[in-house]
Amino acid sequence: MWYYFFAHCIYHLTRWFPQNNRIKFRVVVLLLSVSLLIPELIVLTLPKTTRACDQPLLDLLVTSTIFLFFSVGFTLLFSLMDPVPRIVKIGFHMYGFGSLILGLLTAVYTFQAAGCEESTTELYYWCLISSYLALICTGYFFLIIPFWLLNTVKPSSVLDWRKRAGLCYEPVACCSCIWHI
């Protein structure tokens, strides 16, 4: 789920910069995205990673690497496109659902793989860190989803900047960067 969260945050961060002055931010986003791939590729190429483990942690690492490549792609699309086409948004949210499933599977298998800590140490710790990140991001989205749904059912009921009204206007009035719908 943290792959989806990363691309989601980059989408909103990109909108803070003027449309004609985003080149430096795009370079930083590209470098940050590539730097996320490096630890996964290092763990994947270690000879110790292929040792036997009673849980499919290596399969989760390979799947996670594929998801991270998609996250990098969405991140770059979001930093280049303004506005983002509806089909890309739909694909991104479908990717988010797949990312949720991958994060939950990673957490379940990792928490059952305490014996793998001895045989495949790096792989186990990578899965453990990924599991915690996925659970934190999942919690964040489950807190935000009711507000998204409420705003879909009754537009501008959660936050309306023009009228200075809405359920969440007062808490975020002084710091608009912490909220988005």
Side-chain angles (χ1 to χ4, degrees):
M1 190 72 182
W2 65 273
Y3 315 111
Y4 177 75
F5 182 76
F6 175 72
H8 181 80
C9 287
I10 295 298
Y11 171 79
H12 290 287
L13 283 174
T14 302
R15 298 320 181 255
W16 285 1
F17 295 96
Q19 207 170 9
N20 59 355
N21 193 17
R22 292 183 183 167
I23 190 71
K24 292 176 188 173
F25 182 73
R26 289 176 184 149
V27 170
V28 170
V29 165
L30 180 63
L31 293 175
L32 182 63
S33 299
V34 170
S35 69
L36 288 176
L37 280 168
I38 292 171
E40 285 198 12
L41 294 175
I42 288 173
V43 171
L44 190 61
T45 58
L46 289 174
K48 193 175 181 181
T49 302
T50 58
R51 290 187 185 164
C53 180
D54 58 342
Q55 299 296 329
L57 299 183
L58 182 61
D59 298 338
L60 290 171
L61 176 63
V62 171
T63 307
S64 171
T65 305
I66 293 168
F67 268 72
L68 193 53
F69 274 110
F70 276 104
S71 181
V72 170
F74 277 118
T75 301
L76 294 176
L77 279 176
F78 291 154
S79 68
L80 293 173
M81 294 178 153
D82 196 15
V84 178
R86 182 170 169 77
I87 190 74
V88 174
K89 287 182 180 181
I90 291 171
F92 178 64
H93 292 305
M94 288 173 42
Y95 164 78
F97 183 71
S99 181
L100 169 69
I101 292 171
L102 176 64
L104 294 177
L105 284 174
T106 302
V108 167
Y109 284 127
T110 302
F111 296 146
Q112 294 175 356
C116 296
E117 184 178 1
E118 305 298 324
S119 62
T120 56
T121 308
E122 294 85 2
L123 178 61
Y124 175 76
Y125 283 116
W126 173 87
C127 285
L128 194 63
I129 291 168
S130 183
S131 297
Y132 286 135
L133 287 173
L135 292 176
I136 290 168
C137 293
T138 301
Y140 168 76
F141 281 113
F142 277 117
L143 286 174
I144 296 297
I145 284 175
F147 294 106
W148 286 345
L149 293 175
L150 179 62
N151 200 55
T152 302
V153 172
K154 191 175 177 188
S156 299
S157 64
V158 176
L159 186 62
D160 189 354
W161 286 110
R162 291 184 193 128
K163 294 181 183 175
R164 296 183 179 199
L167 179 70
C168 294
Y169 179 73
E170 285 298 322
V172 299
C174 62
C175 186
S176 63
C177 60
I178 63 172
W179 184 259
H180 63 276
I181 292 287

